[in-house]
Structures are given as structure tokens and as C-alpha cells.
Amino acid sequence: MTSLEDPVPPGRLNRVIAHPVVRIVFPLLIAGISLVVLHTLAAHVSWTDVKADLAMASKGALALAVAFTALSYAGIACYDLIAMHSTARGQVPAPVALLAGASSYAVSNVMGFSYLTGTAIRLRIYGGFGLDAGRIAGVFATSWVAFWLGLIVILGVLLVGHPVGLGGVIALDRGVQTGIGVALLAGLAVLFAWLSRGQRRLGFGGMGVQMPSAGLAALLTGAAVVDMLGAALTLYVLLPNDLVQGFPYFFVIYVGAIAAGVLSHSPGGLGVFEATIIAGLGAAGRSDVLAALLLYRVAYFGLPFVIAVVGLALAWSVPRHGQVTAAAGWANKLAQPLVPPIAAGIALIAGLILMVSGNLPADGARLGVLGEMVPLTFIQASHLAGSIAGLLLVVIARGLYHRRRRAWLMALVLMGAGLVASLAKGLDWVEALSMLATMGLLWLFRPAFYRVGGGSVFRLSGPWLVGVLGLMAAVFWVGLFAYSHISYTSSMWWDFALHGDASRFLRASLAVAVVLTVITFNSVVMNRGGKVAAQPIPDVVRRLVAESEDSEAGIALMGDKAFLIAPDQRAFVAYADTGTSLIAKGDPVGDPQAGQQLIWQLREQADRMGRRCAFYAVSSKYLPTYLDMGLSILKIGEVARVPLDGFTLDGSAKKDFRHARNRAARDGFVFEIIPSAQVPSILEELRAVSDAWLQLKQGEEKSFALGAFEEGYIANFDIAVLRRGETAEIVAFANLMKGANRHEVALDLMRYRPGGPSFAMDALFGELLLWAAGQGYHWFSLGAAPFAGLDNRQLASLWNRIGGFVYQHGEHFYNFEGLRSFKQKFDPVWTPNYLAGPGGLAVPRILYEVNVLISGGVRGLMK
């Protein structure tokens, strides 16, 4: 309960990764440069030529592209199947592993942020089949190793073989190329030989990942080769025969384009990928190349996504009608975590269709028919409305991804508006039917969207904002490309002719830019709000704290938390809202049965709001309840409690406290307990001691799990003080948190006056222990020792191994071992301290948010 429990601050790497330049500016810079390059390279190409090339596309080439897409996705699916066999054999059905790998990639291709969306989907799927974070991390690591093994094989063979055309992109001497290729293949051979000698594990400080056997590594390498070659060949067979200098040359360009697209964070690398391919192949000014790239998007991105959507719809609906077979059961279990990202992808594609169609010339014949039926003003307004609806659909895709009910309702409204606009701006029946189909799919998935609250659905986080801005830039370029043959003049803004497509494009682009600017400003500058605010402390909370035998319950009186109170007022949970998580401090206080119901209520409230839910610093009392609701249990340390029956300061381990107490008595210092009713009369003197102590520590007041010197908080407790005899000056103090029925007593704030006697704190501590024993208390809580008691063993969970590693090697940040040794002097009883919350990659995020809550914000955490 003392300030010695301060958590470890996050590493410098996390702060660098979270820096706006890394997360926002850098990806947007890549996307912006790529679009400028793309516009320059396509300056002499017209949309009419591209449409003609699309119409003339070879059916044989299209069939080959579809076949190679299937081949690539087969390799991708095998990543997860083989990795699952290596790290979690028998825990997930083989069809689930295959479908999880392929479908997550199909969705992340459309959504962008593949490192986030693909990972999140796999976490949800495999977590539903009982895999813990360590095993899921092993699957990811094994899949990542497979990708690099395949890439090394392909590059090694290319460099050794010197195929025709490779020298055009890798400008190295043939001998140097051969040497690099041989080194890559030799290194791979050494790796396989090492793996063939038995089970291998890569690790550091007790943490690591189980390596696959040589046989499985060979299969993974084969899957990676199939994946990459299939993906590259999908585009290769669509490109004009006279363009490329051979597949090896093209493959290197293709890998570079994929890398640039990933760095841009744009969904599917849209715009960035195309610019890199055109520049790398020297294909500026060729309409047939743009047509090939468009067909590649349809074959490799669109077709797998459509197949995933159809399969998901079947898996979602079949178990809801009639007998549920085993296959239908696990298919539905697989579908559950896929619904939100796929629904988000559906909204994103629907929005793109509306905006892109609004930026392209309308069909002249249909427009003429429409002009005879409705006023021109109606056509112009419908065109504008369709583009804005498209933008808003792209924006609310994030809300669908997070299962937000309001996002689902808004998506239906916007798609309905898009359906009407598609007909009213140019009688586009195909586009209207696509809107109708997407509305039907969202209606089918409606049970998945149940979360309420959580702020506006038109606010975007940093990564989503980057993706939307990059996507809008690409859509705007489509319009510029379609009307590149037109000389733009200021009069076009006011041209409201029936066939004034370019003018409508300009006005729609301006409207979209204005709306997007407002959304960006609202997301970045305005207060995000929507948090559950801290509440004034209700009388029922004060009563339940006074009746609780747990001294830790007193921290609820800090005034920095919100409360969930049982209807019959027999229990409460104190929690804080970080904006992304609801985090409770400690176990429920009060009746155990009522407390169990409150745990569920807080979990359900967080789910409705689209928040994570976690319970920090809890005991084993409610562990079955936390496990029943699907939370993971992470041991974060141990709490030391000293039994006070027959307690004395005798013994060598307590000699420092015994000597300090005797020295204080000889020098005339007086120990005293000030009742809470008299505390207001000494608050100013206590504040002077506290302020001087804080200045010495160069820190700030804590909160959430630790007390702060706040008058409204301190006045709730009796205060133990050590006074200088001749002046009655307070040189040290501590507030006492007392459990009911004299069950337990604990300290929260322990502060001393700098420049006072060096023995003051030890003397105060010793006096308190003897006083508590004399008053008949059964226990004295010394608070927690962070990360103590964690098993840093090979078979322990991933986060336990990380915590054990920090405990053993984190002396530069915090004296973990010293704190535990100090408390061990009193021969305490150690009980485990847990964090119950979402597992997987959410664990470090929850721990970071707890650190921020305790430190009073990011500024306090950094200090």
C-alpha cells in the first residue's frame, strides 16, 4: 500500500512506436509521394483506354489469375495449419486452422493494417478454441518464420541461378550475387540441420518460442514459396507480355511494392502498390498496365473477400436453423470473431463503390433518360449525397469492427441513402443492387452488433485515420485520372449541366474534403469524451468500506473512481474508465454473491460500450467467476500480510526497527494515533510534510491503486504520527486503513519531513506494528511486491515468464527483489495478487493503462 508499489514505466521503444510521426506522418508521407508518382506516370493515359483494355482482357489470363490466387491462399492457409500442428497440436480442428489463416488474410487485405487486423482476428478465433496467449503467439511466430524461410529460398535460388533480367534490378557483379545466394541457402541448410537434431527452442531470459521440427520447417517453407509465387503470378499473368523482362525481375519489384504498401497503412496498399509496380517496370503511360492492376485487385483482393463473406454468411445462419451438427458448431464458432471485421470490410467496399462511381463519368444514355424524369437539381444533389454517404461508410467501418450498435444502424441508413443516390444520379442499377445486397448482409449479422455508448461513431483513432486519409487520396486520384484530358477552369465549379461529370466530380471532392476535415479535427483535436467520470462517493460505499474486513477497500474513498452498486446495496465495485478499458481496482466490496453479479455487470457494461474489461490487484476469491466470463488470469505479484498474534520486534531480522524505536524514545520522540475526527486540525502540518517529501522524490501524487494527499481522502482515516517531543512537530506520518472487526490494518501514505531524523520512518513503522498487535488486530498488510512469486520456467505462461524475467533483471527500473526482502523480514504470509482481463496482446495494453491510472496520466508515468 506504500508508494513502493509504483509500476515499471514502459520502454522507450513503445514511446517511439506511438509517436505521431511514426504512426501518422510517416505512412501518410509514403502514400502522398506514391500518389504523386502514380499521377505523373499515368498522366498520358485516359479512362476510356483503360475501359477498352479491361474489355479486351484475355479470358485465359483471367482464369490463370484466379487459379494462382487460389494457390496463394492455399499456401497462406497452410501457415496456420502447420504452425498449429507445431505449437498447439490437437487443440484446434484442422479445417478451422485452414479457414482462419485464409479468411483473416482475405479480410486484412481489404481493411488494411494487416499486422493489426490479421493478428486480432486470429487471436479471437484461436482464443475461442481455448488457446492461451503463449500458444497463439507461438502460432504467429511460426507463421512469420515461414514467410522469411520462403523468401530466403526464392531469393537464394534467384541469386545463384542468375536468371535473365535479374541484373536489371539487382545491380551486382555476378560473383557477388552468387556468393550472397550461396550464403543464404547455406544458412538455411544449417538451420534445417540444427532443427533436425531434436526439439529446439529460441529464447532469452527464460522466454522463447518452440521451434518446429525440420520436417515441419520444410513444410512451412514450401507453403511460403507457394504463397509468394502464387500472389506474384496472379499479377504477372495479367500484365502485357511485352512489358516484363522475365518473372525473376518482376518478382523483386513485386516484393518491393508489397513492402511499400504495408508501410503506407492504406487498405491493401491502394495507390502505393500501383505506383511502385508502374515505376519499377517502367510502364508509365500504359493503359493496359493500369487495367491489369485493376484486374489484379479484383482477383486477389475482391474475389477472396467475397468468398469469405459468403462462407461467413452460411456459417452464421446455418446453426440458427434446425439441428446443429458438429461441423456447423465449429463453423459458427469460427464465424463469431470474423463477423465484425468482415462487416467493416463490407461497409468500406460499399463506401468506395459510391465514391469511385461518383468520380467517374456516368453512362450518357442512362443520364439522358434520367434527365427527362427528374430535375437537374435533384441529380446534382444525389451525386453529392452519394459521395458523402460513401465517405461516412468508410469512416464508420471502424465502429462496425468494434461491434457498435450505432455504427450498424448508421451503416444501414447510409447504404439506403447510397441505394437511392445510385439510381437518382445516373440509374446505376448494378450499384444500387450492390447496396441492397450489403444491407441484407448487415441485417443478417445484426446480433453481432450489440455494443452501445463509446462516443461518436465518426471519431477515428490514429491508424484508422491514416488509412482513411490515404484511401481518400487514392479515390481523389481516380477522379483526376478519369478527367485528365479536361482543362480545369474556375467556371467548372458553377457548371450545372446534365453531362457535366467533371464539374460534379470537383464539387463532390470538395464536399468530401470538407466533411473529412471536420471528422479529422473532431478525432484529433477535440476532446474524445465518452468516458465514465469519477463519481462523488455515495454513502452506501462509505458504509460498505467501514463494514469490510479488507483494509484495501479504503482505497475506494480516493474519489477518482466510478462505482457499480448492487441494487440491494450489499456490494459495490470501484472502477476507472481509460477510454478504451473499464478497469476495476480490487475485488468487489461487500456480500460475495452480490459481488459476483457486479463482476458480470461490469463486464457486460464494458462490452456494450466497446471497452475492454479488467480487474486489477484481485485475490483468488473470485477467480472462478473471472474464468467463467472468459478472462485470462495473470499473476502480477504477491501481497505480504503479517500475523499479529504474539507479534514482537524481537529477532535479528527486525533489529533495525527495534533500534529505531528505542532511539526515538531516548531522543524524546512521541508516537501518537490521531482519530479521524481530529485530523482536520492538523491537515496543514501534514500537508507541509507531504509536500516536502514529494519535492524530495521529484514525483507526483499517485491515484487509482495508491492513495494521494487529498484532504477529502486523508480525513477518512486515523493518522499515525511521530512528533518531536520538545516542539510537538510532526516528523513522519501514515494514514491507517482499518478493516472491520479488527481483522486487518494497513498503511497507505507513509511520509516524513526531509532533514528530520534518519530513524523516523523505521521508528514509526515499528510502533505501528506493536500498536496494531496491542489493539487486537489479526493482520498487518505490508502491501504487494510486484512480480514476486512468478514462475520463470519453460512451461510457464508467456506473461508469467515475462514478469519473472522483469523481476530478476529489472533492477535498473525498480528494486523488486529488495522490496520483497524488506517485507520478508517480518515473516509474512504471502498471497498471490492477480490481474483478470483479456488475454493475448491486450495484456501489455491493460498493464500500460493501469500504470497511467496509478501515475495520474502519461506525464506522471514518464516522471
Side-chain angles (χ1 to χ4, degrees):
M1 292 300 302
T2 70
S3 59
L4 291 176
E5 295 181 42
D6 294 352
V8 182
R12 182 178 298 176
L13 178 61
N14 288 337
R15 298 197 295 272
V16 171
I17 293 174
H19 197 280
V21 173
V22 177
R23 299 181 61 207
I24 298 178
V25 177
F26 181 65
L28 287 179
L29 186 62
I30 293 176
I33 293 173
S34 299
L35 287 174
V36 171
V37 171
L38 181 60
H39 186 65
T40 302
L41 295 175
H44 302 292
V45 180
S46 70
W47 173 239
T48 303
D49 294 336
V50 174
K51 288 199 297 183
D53 287 322
L54 287 172
M56 296 172 59
S58 166
K59 291 183 175 58
L62 290 173
L64 281 174
V66 172
F68 284 128
T69 295
L71 184 66
S72 175
Y73 274 83
I76 292 168
C78 287
Y79 284 161
D80 283 42
L81 178 65
I82 301 169
M84 198 64 66
H85 185 79
S86 173
T87 60
R89 184 181 305 179
Q91 291 189 247
V92 176
V96 171
L98 288 168
L99 291 173
S103 58
S104 62
Y105 197 74
V107 174
S108 62
N109 266 344
V110 172
M111 294 297 296
F113 328 112
S114 57
Y115 64 95
L116 290 177
T117 52
T119 300
I121 292 170
R122 286 183 173 94
L123 275 171
R124 292 174 180 176
I125 292 173
Y126 295 142
F129 283 86
L131 265 66
D132 60 24
R135 292 190 180 277
I136 297 175
V139 173
F140 295 153
T142 304
S143 301
W144 187 243
V145 168
F147 172 81
W148 284 105
L149 290 176
L151 188 61
I152 289 171
V153 167
I154 296 175
L155 290 179
V157 171
L158 291 178
L159 290 170
V160 171
H162 305 292
V164 176
L166 186 63
V169 66
I170 301 179
L172 293 174
D173 179 77
R174 290 177 65 90
V176 175
Q177 287 187 36
T178 302
I180 296 174
V182 169
L184 289 174
L185 296 176
L188 204 59
V190 170
L191 174 63
F192 278 103
W194 179 65
L195 294 175
S196 67
R197 297 174 64 87
Q199 282 195 340
R200 294 294 186 178
R201 180 181 180 82
L202 289 180
F204 175 72
M207 297 179 294
V209 62
Q210 192 71 35
M211 297 294 292
S213 65
L216 289 178
L219 290 175
L220 285 167
T221 304
V225 170
V226 169
D227 164 28
M228 285 182 282
L229 291 181
L233 285 168
T234 301
L235 177 57
Y236 183 74
V237 297
L238 294 171
L239 289 170
N241 295 328
D242 64 325
L243 178 64
V244 295
Q245 305 175 27
F247 181 74
Y249 176 87
F250 166 78
F251 181 78
V252 176
I253 300 298
Y254 180 84
V255 171
I258 292 293
V262 171
L263 289 175
S264 73
H265 294 344
S266 176
L270 188 63
V272 179
F273 176 84
E274 285 79 4
T276 308
I277 290 291
I278 294 174
L281 296 178
R286 295 194 57 162
S287 60
D288 52 356
V289 175
L290 284 174
L293 287 167
L294 185 57
L295 290 172
Y296 167 76
R297 288 284 179 183
V298 173
Y300 196 78
F301 289 72
L303 183 60
F305 184 77
V306 170
I307 293 173
V309 169
V310 173
L312 174 65
L314 292 173
W316 181 261
S317 58
V318 168
R320 289 164 173 75
H321 301 87
Q323 186 72 22
V324 179
T325 64
W330 63 249
N332 183 252
K333 198 172 182 179
L334 171 67
Q336 295 284 345
L338 282 172
V339 167
I342 281 190
I346 290 171
L348 191 146
I349 291 176
L352 281 178
I353 289 173
L354 287 172
M355 287 188 293
V356 170
S357 70
N359 287 358
L360 294 176
D363 184 277
R366 292 179 180 177
L367 198 58
V369 172
L370 184 65
E372 298 176 358
M373 300 168 57
V374 297
L376 177 61
T377 305
F378 185 76
I379 297 174
Q380 302 285 358
S382 299
H383 187 279
L384 202 65
S387 295
I388 294 176
L391 168 65
L392 296 180
L393 276 171
V394 171
V395 171
I396 66 170
R398 177 176 181 265
L400 292 172
Y401 184 82
H402 292 293
R403 303 175 184 266
R404 301 275 294 282
R405 187 72 174 181
R406 278 187 290 176
W408 177 80
L409 290 170
M410 186 59 66
L412 288 177
V413 171
L414 290 172
M415 287 178 185
L419 187 153
V420 174
S422 299
L423 297 175
K425 70 182 181 180
L427 294 179
D428 194 333
W429 302 105
V430 175
E431 185 176 306
L433 287 175
S434 69
M435 293 298 112
L436 186 61
T438 54
M439 291 174 69
L441 285 168
L442 282 185
W443 183 260
L444 174 66
F445 298 145
R446 64 189 180 279
F449 302 96
Y450 52 84
R451 289 176 172 171
V452 298
S456 171
V457 295
F458 296 112
R459 284 199 180 105
L460 296 172
S461 61
W464 281 87
L465 185 59
V466 170
V468 171
L469 291 174
L471 204 57
M472 293 306 100
V475 170
F476 179 66
W477 175 83
V478 169
L480 292 177
F481 169 71
Y483 303 107
S484 58
H485 59 287
I486 293 178
S487 298
Y488 290 94
T489 61
S490 59
S491 62
M492 293 180 64
W493 292 101
W494 319 113
D495 181 10
F496 293 96
L498 180 63
H499 295 283
D501 292 316
S503 296
R504 281 193 287 271
F505 153 66
L506 288 177
R507 288 191 291 270
S509 297
L510 177 62
V512 166
V514 170
V515 174
L516 185 57
T517 300
V518 172
I519 291 172
T520 302
F521 181 82
N522 189 41
S523 301
V524 176
V525 179
M526 299 296 289
N527 189 343
R528 303 186 70 84
K531 292 184 181 180
V532 178
Q535 304 170 225
I537 302 169
D539 290 339
V540 62
V541 169
R542 296 184 183 276
R543 174 178 63 80
L544 289 170
V545 168
E547 294 174 355
S548 175
E549 292 186 345
D550 182 8
S551 61
E552 186 79 7
I555 202 70
L557 304 179
M558 262 289 293
D560 59 348
K561 301 174 185 68
F563 300 98
L564 196 60
I565 301 172
D568 58 6
Q569 298 191 343
R570 291 188 301 148
F572 75 86
V573 170
Y575 67 96
D577 185 356
T578 68
T580 58
S581 306
L582 300 185
I583 303 178
K585 169 59 182 76
D587 291 321
V589 177
D591 179 74
Q593 290 185 343
Q596 184 180 24
Q597 294 303 314
L598 288 176
I599 291 173
W600 278 102
Q601 288 180 34
L602 185 64
R603 176 77 169 85
E604 291 161 355
Q605 176 181 328
D607 195 52
R608 289 193 301 270
M609 296 176 65
R611 304 278 204 268
R612 301 183 187 92
C613 183
F615 298 81
Y616 175 74
V618 298
S619 68
S620 58
K621 182 177 180 179
Y622 292 97
L623 287 190
T625 305
Y626 300 132
L627 291 171
D628 286 346
M629 65 175 55
L631 299 181
S632 296
I633 306 299
L634 172 66
K635 186 176 180 181
I636 55 175
E638 293 181 322
V639 176
R641 300 167 73 237
V642 181
L644 294 178
D645 293 340
F647 178 84
T648 69
L649 289 179
D650 296 337
S652 59
K654 305 167 192 171
K655 64 179 181 180
D656 292 339
F657 302 95
R658 185 171 63 250
H659 293 164
R661 180 172 177 265
N662 294 336
R663 172 74 182 277
R666 289 197 304 270
D667 291 356
F669 287 88
V670 179
F671 170 78
E672 184 181 359
I673 301 293
I674 309 295
S676 59
Q678 300 176 22
V679 168
S681 64
I682 61 168
L683 270 176
E684 288 307 315
E685 189 174 3
L686 294 178
R687 179 177 292 281
V689 175
S690 177
D691 290 347
W693 182 87
L694 278 174
Q695 187 175 5
L696 177 70
K697 298 297 182 181
Q698 297 182 345
E700 296 186 0
E701 290 285 13
K702 306 301 180 184
S703 58
F704 187 65
L706 301 171
F709 193 93
E710 300 288 345
E711 292 185 3
Y713 174 65
I714 292 296
N716 291 295
F717 308 102
D718 295 349
I719 305 294
V721 300
L722 190 68
R723 294 183 183 273
R724 195 184 300 272
E726 63 273 15
T727 63
E729 177 190 47
I730 296 176
V731 296
F733 74 89
N735 66 313
L736 302 181
M737 303 173 73
K738 299 187 292 186
N741 304 320
R742 299 187 184 274
H743 178 73
E744 182 182 72
V745 65
L747 306 179
D748 186 13
L749 301 178
M750 287 188 65
R751 298 187 175 177
Y752 60 89
R753 190 184 299 274
S758 59
F759 54 80
M761 292 305 292
D762 283 352
L764 179 63
F765 204 80
E767 291 281 11
L768 276 172
L769 284 161
L770 293 175
W771 171 85
Q775 292 292 314
Y777 283 93
H778 301 294
W779 297 93
F780 192 102
S781 176
L782 299 176
F787 298 125
L790 273 64
D791 289 320
N792 186 12
R793 302 184 183 185
Q794 179 174 331
L795 298 180
S797 72
L798 174 65
W799 298 115
N800 267 39
R801 282 179 275 146
I802 292 175
F805 177 79
V806 171
Y807 180 78
Q808 293 178 12
H809 304 284
E811 293 88 354
H812 295 293
F813 299 99
Y814 187 78
N815 187 17
F816 296 103
E817 181 64 38
L819 176 62
R820 194 184 195 283
S821 298
F822 168 80
K823 296 180 178 182
Q824 185 60 42
K825 293 179 180 179
F826 299 95
D827 297 322
V829 175
W830 293 95
T831 56
N833 205 20
Y834 298 104
L835 169 69
L841 299 181
V843 171
R845 176 69 187 184
I846 292 292
L847 290 174
Y848 168 76
E849 291 179 356
V850 169
N851 273 269
V852 172
L853 286 174
I854 293 174
S855 302
V858 176
R859 178 173 175 266
L861 179 60
M862 294 301 103
K863 292 185 69 175

